Amino acid sequence: MKIGIIALQGAVPEHVSMTLQALNNLGLKGEAVTVRQPAELAAASALILPGGESTTISKLLKRFELYEPLIKAAENGVPIMGTCAGCILMAKEGDGEVEKTKTELLKIMDMKVNRNAFGRQRESFETPLTIKGLVEPFPGIFIRGPLIEEVYGRCAALAYYQEKIVMARQDNLIALSFHPELSADTRIHEMFLQMI
């Protein structure tokens, strides 16, 4: 199996490393590959859309002709995980900041996001999160993270921070406000791989 990491911006090497560790921990044969072209995306068994700057990633997805293929992959049941900016892009609805910056969302998850809910870079923090499906708390690393303001339809909340949604799942799609790839904990990547 090939796990494709959309390599346009963000913590791509960290996602590659974490995915390889998770595959090893689960005893699965597979590889983590970077994706910059539609053919590479089409060859992947699952996809990760990393963090970065959501408006820039949105434009790059269009430029590299990955925008429509990502939507089709989601519709075809390919597991996709979006972290931070990836979470924003997966949402059906954004806040005023998303509209102001003309960020084109993929609109693949039944949720509304608030783009910079956790403030600026200097307000980054780490906190233990209780995540549905995990026994022990997970180290949530928030860097200018978005907030999932609302889930509806088939989308369900998996984790909260101060009673606010920071992780959600809808069928084959999973979105996180935080950065699991920056922790030393592979459990979320393992959870994601088990969706394949």
Side-chain angles (χ1 to χ4, degrees):
M1 86 176 80
K2 280 187 183 177
I3 315 306
I5 290 89
I6 306 293
L8 303 177
Q9 198 188 51
V12 175
E14 291 83 354
H15 271 295
V16 169
S17 174
M18 189 64 79
T19 300
L20 291 172
Q21 287 178 57
L23 283 164
N24 188 51
N25 290 353
L26 293 169
L28 296 173
K29 287 195 187 298
E31 57 184 325
V33 297
T34 55
V35 169
R36 288 189 188 89
Q37 297 173 12
E40 294 166 337
L41 187 148
S45 313
L47 295 159
I48 296 175
L49 188 54
E53 204 284 311
S54 56
T55 305
T56 302
I57 295 173
S58 169
K59 288 176 181 167
L60 290 172
L61 285 172
K62 292 272 186 163
R63 185 179 303 159
F64 284 83
E65 298 179 355
L66 296 172
Y67 184 87
E68 293 298 335
L70 254 176
I71 294 169
K72 283 196 172 36
E75 290 169 352
N76 292 334
V78 174
I80 301 174
M81 176 168 71
T83 59
C84 198
C87 169
I88 295 167
L89 292 171
M90 292 173 80
K92 282 213 173 128
E93 301 176 69
D95 63 350
E97 193 66 21
V98 168
E99 288 174 27
K100 191 172 103 181
T101 56
K102 296 184 171 69
T103 304
E104 287 195 59
L105 304 177
L106 294 163
K107 299 184 177 184
I108 54 177
M109 286 185 77
D110 297 332
M111 61 185 194
K112 180 179 182 183
V113 292
N114 178 334
R115 185 175 144 158
N116 288 330
F118 291 108
R120 301 229 170 260
Q121 195 94 6
R122 67 178 173 271
E123 291 153 334
S124 300
F125 63 97
E126 182 175 338
T127 187
L129 298 172
T130 300
I131 295 174
K132 191 174 180 181
L134 299 183
V135 178
E136 298 291 326
F138 188 91
I141 298 171
F142 291 82
I143 303 170
R144 288 184 64 202
L147 175 68
I148 300 168
E149 286 190 332
E150 182 186 345
V151 292
Y152 49 92
R154 294 189 326 279
C155 192
L158 294 184
Y160 294 85
Y161 170 68
Q162 295 182 344
E163 299 179 13
K164 295 174 179 144
I165 305 167
V166 293
M167 183 175 176
R169 179 173 178 182
Q170 179 176 323
D171 305 323
N172 52 307
L173 311 171
I174 191 164
L176 299 80
S177 299
F178 53 97
H179 290 269
E181 77 284 2
L182 299 181
S183 73
D185 193 327
T186 60
R187 289 178 297 157
I188 284 179
H189 281 72
E190 288 172 27
M191 177 193 290
F192 175 61
L193 292 174
Q194 288 168 331
M195 292 166 58
I196 299 171

